[in-house]
Amino acid sequence: FGMAIREGVHRPIIHAATGTGKGTLLAGLCAGAVRGGWPVLVLVHRLNLVDDLANRIKRLGEKVGVVQGPRHQIRAPIVVASVQSLQGRRLRDLGPVNLVITDECHHATASSYQNVYAAVRKARKAAGKHERFVSLGLTATPFRSDGRGGTLGLGEVYDAVVYSHGIVEAIAAGDLVPPRGIRVETHVDISACKVTAGGDYDEADLARLTDTPARNRLVVEKYQEHGQGLPALAFCVDVA
């Protein structure tokens, strides 16, 4: 990351697989930046991440402000904000930060994020700081949907992936457990399932085809056979 900045990359991405410690890395980057005199803004898109990341940074001995709901601690040396809360009039209170870290940065093309980046530029200009700020993105998926079932890169908002630690590398390094896959044929035909404009299966139609007593019973039986009482996580079509 530091080498990329020195080489003139002002909008780098760090790609790290889920479970490899992006939150810990983010906290360390914040601490290093603020100790070097750089005010930092951290943007997250999930509300439960705000306090989690703020606490990680505090454990490193740094002062952290939070912008979420009624909390508006916008002038702290490190600010952790939900992008939903940091909009409108709150953006006018933003100070001249040097580093913006966007967690899950594959969302960064959205207007809510672009509003924040524009406000950072405006605040820096008002403070007489005309050099570019550094916009660092962290994600496990450095691409976004193209709305047609494919993916696009993030070249509109970032310059380059400067470091990558994907699933294969993480398994080789011992950071993640190698997966062992077991495929169970349920003999449910979903070929007639409706498809949305974005290329995904229609949720309601897919649920109608797959949420059946016979298939659910088979899922339970296979968990009992292979899971043998171990903790499990089930990914389902919908909440029901």
Side-chain angles (χ1 to χ4, degrees):
F1 169 63
M3 184 182 298
I5 301 304
R6 289 190 292 273
E7 292 178 355
V9 179
H10 287 83
R11 304 185 303 172
I13 288 178
I14 293 177
H15 163 230
T18 300
T20 55
K22 286 193 298 297
T24 301
L25 172 63
L26 187 152
L29 290 169
C30 287
V34 80
R35 290 168 189 170
W38 278 25
V40 182
L41 171 64
V42 179
L43 293 176
V44 302
H45 82 293
R46 282 168 34 200
L47 301 181
N48 63 310
L49 288 177
V50 173
D51 287 321
D52 175 70
L53 292 176
N55 289 333
R56 288 173 185 261
I57 298 167
K58 288 176 183 176
R59 285 196 288 270
L60 297 179
E62 304 302 328
K63 294 181 179 179
V64 183
V66 167
V67 177
Q68 180 194 3
R71 294 176 291 178
H72 186 55
Q73 301 153 350
I74 193 69
R75 288 292 180 158
I78 302 173
V79 176
V80 180
S82 69
V83 71
Q84 299 92 333
S85 295
L86 191 58
Q87 298 294 325
R89 64 176 181 81
R90 288 186 163 186
L91 285 176
R92 293 194 291 271
D93 297 332
L94 195 62
V97 299
N98 288 55
L99 173 63
V100 177
I101 301 178
T102 303
D103 188 44
E104 306 293 358
C105 68
H106 47 278
H107 297 291
T109 56
S111 59
S112 55
Y113 288 87
Q114 293 302 309
N115 291 340
V116 175
Y117 303 146
V120 170
R121 288 190 289 269
K122 184 176 181 180
R124 288 180 58 78
K125 185 177 180 180
K129 298 179 181 293
H130 299 288
E131 69 275 13
R132 294 172 64 183
F133 69 94
V134 174
S135 178
L136 169 65
L138 296 178
T139 181
T141 52
F143 46 81
R144 59 191 174 89
S145 170
D146 67 358
R148 300 184 299 274
T151 57
L152 294 172
L154 295 170
E156 299 172 36
V157 287
Y158 291 104
D159 299 325
V161 177
V162 298
Y163 179 76
S164 181
H165 190 61
I167 292 176
V168 173
E169 296 90 345
I171 291 172
D175 299 329
L176 297 179
V177 176
R180 182 170 65 93
I182 300 171
R183 183 173 64 181
V184 177
E185 295 287 352
T186 65
H187 305 292
V188 173
D189 183 5
I190 60 171
S191 60
C193 185
K194 298 174 184 175
V195 178
T196 67
D200 295 321
Y201 287 120
D202 178 83
E203 184 177 290
D205 202 33
L206 186 61
R208 177 183 62 81
L209 293 168
T210 61
D211 187 7
T212 65
R215 190 174 185 276
N216 291 340
R217 185 166 53 250
L218 179 62
V219 171
V220 173
E221 290 173 354
K222 291 302 176 181
Y223 163 71
Q224 291 174 329
E225 178 184 347
H226 298 287
Q228 299 176 349
L230 293 173
L233 179 63
F235 289 93
C236 305
V237 176
D238 57 14
V239 176

